[in-house]
Amino acid sequence: SVKKFGERDALALVGKTPITYKEVKEKSVEVSKLLEGFGLKKGSKVAIYATGRPEWGVSYFGIVNRGMIAVPLLPDFSSTEVAAIVEHCGIDAFVVEQKLYDKLKDIHEKLPAIVIKIEDFSILKGENVQPVSELPAVDVLEDDTASIIYTSGTTGRSKGVELTHCNLVWNAVQCQTVHRVNKMDRCLSFLPISHVYEFTIGFTMQIMNGACVYYLGKPPVVSALLPAFKLVQPTIVCSVPLVVEKIYKNKVLPTFTKNPVIHSLYKIRYIRKILHRIAGKELKKTFGGHLQFFGIGGAKVDPHVERFLKEAKFPYAIGYGLTETSPLLAGAGPKVTKRTTIGYVMEGV
């Protein structure tokens, strides 16, 4: 990607200047040198505990390109959950956002001996070591573990899922049989990158193809999302049902129900379809006017909301996957979605 897209924008916070693919590489090499200065090597485990931001991807590449293992942690994990994972996984170093580090005051002594602040890669805990000047050659094989992702623990404590470089890259390649990404794409990211759904589709798949990923940088409430959509004018968005359901119930549905006459007409099927089509055009403008792929995954979509999306000709896509499968197993691109289904089995699955 650096060879193909070196000078193109790669990662940004909404409203801030993006960093290029070349800069991502340079910064990730500096992270690698810092980690190896601490004596970390292939197989060492480094946790990333941060919200979506350009430095997240920089950190990730700095870790895995040296054969170390990245352990992404959900930003909303409690200090108790973080402490349990650190112990269970055997974390060697911790890359953390300052505001989340402050949340961990009660477990500072349980954190690894090396803690690095993600915003500027300064050292919060550990000896003030010198980064190595040169990185020695290292063999990173496709079947080596790249990441250990702790799932949300539906049936108890979070479990660590080991994924190899090949698991993650193969899935990102295959996802393009559902929707093709190119260097002109702009992806607005607001889901946690520590989830493999956002990581594979909203990060790896974008980076492979020269797109630029913009991070919201704040909780994904409607009042924060709408200005970001207008500013970024994304072509690609990965979402969960809750976001689109809130927009539908708060912004779309009231326009059909507040006027008694329109409310009565809305109950007639063909008129409802016409109204949905008109509302769909307005909704596309709300999302910046350039949206080509609005991915929905992680839970079942409300059937009424999906009916609206379909009749509005909104470019939504549906997918189903598991952390253990990196994640996508089945999906349907915007042109072939079929209501109440999870899409087709992905090619190669």
Side-chain angles (χ1 to χ4, degrees), residues 40-293:
L40 301 184
K41 55 188 187 300
K42 182 176 179 178
S44 296
K45 295 168 190 163
V46 184
I48 307 174
Y49 186 49
T51 55
R53 54 190 307 124
E55 295 85 1
W56 201 106
V58 166
S59 302
Y60 186 88
F61 287 128
I63 295 162
V64 302
N65 285 352
R66 300 300 298 164
M68 300 176 206
I69 299 167
V71 186
L73 303 179
L74 269 172
D76 57 3
F77 274 160
S78 66
S79 58
T80 307
E81 288 172 306
V82 171
I85 290 167
V86 165
E87 183 185 3
H88 177 262
C89 196
I91 303 291
D92 299 294
F94 202 79
V95 180
V96 64
E97 200 169 331
Q98 183 69 57
K99 66 180 180 184
L100 295 178
Y101 185 60
D102 295 341
K103 196 173 91 172
L104 302 178
K105 285 192 172 104
D106 56 328
I107 62 154
H108 277 189
E109 73 286 350
K110 294 181 182 178
L111 294 178
I114 305 159
V115 179
I116 298 162
K117 181 178 170 183
I118 199 168
E119 288 92 333
D120 57 8
F121 301 108
S122 59
I123 297 160
L124 294 173
K125 183 181 176 185
E127 295 175 17
N128 202 354
V129 299
Q130 274 302 109
V132 297
S133 54
E134 289 295 323
L135 290 169
V138 61
D139 283 331
V140 184
L141 308 175
E142 65 174 26
D143 288 329
D144 289 342
T145 299
S147 197
I148 299 173
I149 299 177
Y150 278 78
T151 64
S152 53
T154 313
T155 57
R157 249 188 195 173
S158 297
K159 299 155 186 72
V161 175
E162 291 187 68
L163 297 173
T164 68
H165 291 264
C166 192
N167 290 153
L168 294 160
V169 171
W170 184 88
N171 205 276
V173 170
Q174 288 306 101
C175 282
Q176 290 170 95
T177 62
V178 177
H179 181 79
R180 191 74 176 87
V181 176
N182 65 58
K183 66 183 181 182
M184 305 307 291
D185 279 311
R186 297 176 301 280
C187 177
L188 180 62
S189 173
F190 50 81
L191 299 179
I193 327 177
S194 40
H195 272 309
V196 74
Y197 165 35
E198 182 66 23
F199 177 81
T200 297
I201 300 170
F203 176 73
T204 310
M205 184 176 166
Q206 308 303 316
I207 293 293
M208 281 178 154
N209 293 285
C212 185
V213 183
Y214 292 83
Y215 294 104
L216 185 63
K218 55 185 75 170
V221 293
V222 173
S223 59
L225 283 170
L226 297 184
F229 284 129
K230 285 186 179 172
L231 192 62
V232 175
Q233 299 182 342
T235 57
I236 293 172
V237 170
C238 290
S239 183
V240 289
L242 186 63
V243 172
V244 73
E245 285 167 11
K246 276 189 175 179
I247 291 171
Y248 172 74
K249 284 166 186 171
N250 295 337
K251 303 280 287 181
V252 177
L253 198 56
T255 62
F256 304 137
T257 54
K258 66 185 176 186
N259 182 308
V261 177
I262 294 174
H263 192 197
S264 299
L265 292 170
Y266 185 63
K267 294 172 185 175
I268 302 167
R269 187 166 176 262
Y270 79 93
I271 294 179
R272 184 196 72 222
K273 285 189 170 185
I274 293 168
L275 291 172
H276 278 177
R277 188 75 198 278
I278 295 166
K281 286 180 181 176
E282 287 304 310
L283 191 60
K284 284 177 196 170
K285 286 180 192 172
T286 301
F287 279 85
H290 294 266
L291 198 61
Q292 295 170 13
F293 178 93

